[in-house]
Amino acid sequence: GSGKSKQSEKLVKYLEDRGEKVLYTREPGSPHIGLNVREFLLSDKKVNGVALALLFQADRAEHTQWVKEKLAEGYWIISDRCYVSGLAYAMSWGHKFDDLVAVLKLSIQCKPDFVVYMDCSTQTSMDRVAAKGSNTREESRGPAIREEIRQNYLKVIETLKENQQFYIVDSEKWTESESFEYIVRIVQ
């Protein structure tokens, strides 16, 4: 509901129009494990939080290895989500940040050059998702959990800002065009 997918897709087109080789990904999104994880997440099946966090880490290990290979081939990688999302969501399942980072060190093969976080209020995000009619397992957990996830993102960004470049886009106050112009300035 923050506009990240739309901005990611616009950035892919912009780079392709410039003649760049571009790979658009999302997490979960490895060529093998990710599709199964995504299918599972969209289902009604229940799983405990530890198993879910480990599923994401398994996907991340595959996904980041694939990304690393594509980077070596000269691709720009635009990812709809990355390890920051995994941390924010897993924290909402009750996992401690330090425990998650320890597992993350085993699974991540490469980190993004920078992360753009599209921020908006929980209510705005929920309204946008409802308007699109796309309600996933996480979105159905309710506004309190969604606000917790938003706050987790901000905590993760604050905690990791010395080791990872972050840009925050206020997608509630900025128009879609203003947000995209800012993102284009970042990649140039």
Side-chain angles (χ1 to χ4, degrees), residues 122 126 135-149:
T122 299
M126 290 175 59
N135 200 24
T136 66
R137 176 191 307 248
E138 290 307 315
E139 287 151 348
S140 66
R141 290 172 65 196
I145 294 295
R146 290 186 54 105
E147 178 60 24
E148 179 183 344
I149 292 167

Coordinates of all heavy atoms in Angstrom, one line a residue, residues 122 126 135-149:
T122 N -0.2 3.8 8.3 CA -0.8 2.5 8.3 C -2.2 2.6 7.6 O -2.6 1.8 6.8 CB -0.9 1.8 9.7 OG1 0.4 1.7 10.2 CG2 -1.6 0.5 9.6
M126 N -3.5 0.7 4.3 CA -4.7 -0.2 4.3 C -5.7 0.3 3.3 O -6.3 -0.5 2.7 CB -5.2 -0.3 5.7 CG -4.3 -1.0 6.7 SD -4.8 -1.0 8.4 CE -6.4 -1.8 8.3
N135 N -5.6 -8.5 -0.6 CA -5.4 -8.7 0.8 C -4.6 -10.0 1.0 O -5.1 -11.1 0.7 CB -6.8 -8.7 1.5 CG -6.6 -8.5 3.0 OD1 -5.7 -7.8 3.4 ND2 -7.6 -8.9 3.8
T136 N -3.4 -9.9 1.5 CA -2.6 -11.1 1.7 C -2.7 -11.5 3.2 O -3.3 -10.8 4.0 CB -1.1 -10.8 1.4 OG1 -0.6 -9.8 2.3 CG2 -1.0 -10.3 0.0
R137 N -2.0 -12.5 3.6 CA -2.0 -13.0 4.9 C -1.5 -11.9 5.9 O -2.2 -11.7 6.9 CB -1.0 -14.2 5.1 CG -0.8 -14.7 6.5 CD 0.3 -15.7 6.5 NE 0.2 -16.8 5.6 CZ 0.0 -18.0 5.9 NH1 -0.1 -18.4 7.2 NH2 0.0 -19.0 5.0
E138 N -0.5 -11.2 5.6 CA 0.0 -10.1 6.4 C -0.9 -9.0 6.5 O -1.1 -8.4 7.6 CB 1.4 -9.6 6.0 CG 2.5 -10.6 6.1 CD 2.6 -11.2 7.6 OE1 2.6 -10.4 8.5 OE2 2.7 -12.4 7.7
E139 N -1.5 -8.6 5.4 CA -2.5 -7.5 5.4 C -3.7 -7.8 6.2 O -4.4 -6.9 6.7 CB -2.8 -7.1 4.0 CG -1.6 -6.4 3.3 CD -1.5 -6.5 1.8 OE1 -2.2 -7.4 1.2 OE2 -0.7 -5.8 1.2
S140 N -4.1 -9.1 6.3 CA -5.3 -9.5 7.0 C -5.1 -9.5 8.6 O -6.0 -9.8 9.3 CB -5.8 -10.8 6.5 OG -4.9 -11.8 6.8
R141 N -3.8 -9.3 9.0 CA -3.5 -9.4 10.4 C -4.0 -8.2 11.2 O -4.0 -8.2 12.4 CB -2.0 -9.6 10.7 CG -1.5 -11.0 10.2 CD 0.0 -11.1 10.3 NE 0.5 -11.0 11.6 CZ 1.8 -10.8 11.9 NH1 2.7 -10.6 10.9 NH2 2.2 -10.7 13.1
G142 N -4.5 -7.2 10.5 CA -5.1 -6.0 11.2 C -4.2 -4.8 11.3 O -2.9 -4.9 11.1
P143 N -4.8 -3.7 11.7 CA -4.0 -2.4 11.7 C -2.9 -2.4 12.8 O -1.9 -1.8 12.5 CB -5.1 -1.4 11.9 CG -6.3 -2.1 12.4 CD -6.2 -3.5 11.9
A144 N -3.1 -3.0 13.9 CA -2.1 -2.9 15.0 C -0.8 -3.6 14.5 O 0.3 -3.1 14.7 CB -2.6 -3.5 16.3
I145 N -1.0 -4.8 13.9 CA 0.2 -5.5 13.4 C 0.9 -4.8 12.3 O 2.1 -4.7 12.2 CB -0.2 -7.0 13.0 CG1 -0.6 -7.8 14.2 CG2 1.0 -7.7 12.3 CD1 0.5 -8.0 15.2
R146 N 0.1 -4.2 11.4 CA 0.6 -3.5 10.2 C 1.4 -2.2 10.7 O 2.4 -1.9 10.2 CB -0.5 -3.1 9.3 CG -1.0 -4.3 8.6 CD -2.0 -3.9 7.5 NE -1.4 -3.0 6.6 CZ -1.0 -3.2 5.4 NH1 -1.1 -4.5 4.9 NH2 -0.6 -2.3 4.6
E147 N 0.9 -1.6 11.8 CA 1.6 -0.5 12.4 C 2.9 -1.0 13.0 O 4.0 -0.3 12.9 CB 0.8 0.3 13.4 CG 1.5 1.5 14.0 CD 2.0 2.6 13.0 OE1 1.5 2.7 11.9 OE2 3.0 3.3 13.4
E148 N 2.9 -2.1 13.7 CA 4.1 -2.7 14.3 C 5.1 -3.0 13.2 O 6.3 -2.7 13.4 CB 3.7 -4.0 15.0 CG 4.9 -4.7 15.6 CD 4.6 -6.0 16.3 OE1 3.4 -6.3 16.6 OE2 5.6 -6.7 16.6
I149 N 4.7 -3.5 12.1 CA 5.6 -3.8 10.9 C 6.2 -2.5 10.4 O 7.4 -2.4 10.2 CB 4.9 -4.6 9.8 CG1 4.5 -6.0 10.3 CG2 5.8 -4.6 8.6 CD1 3.6 -6.7 9.4

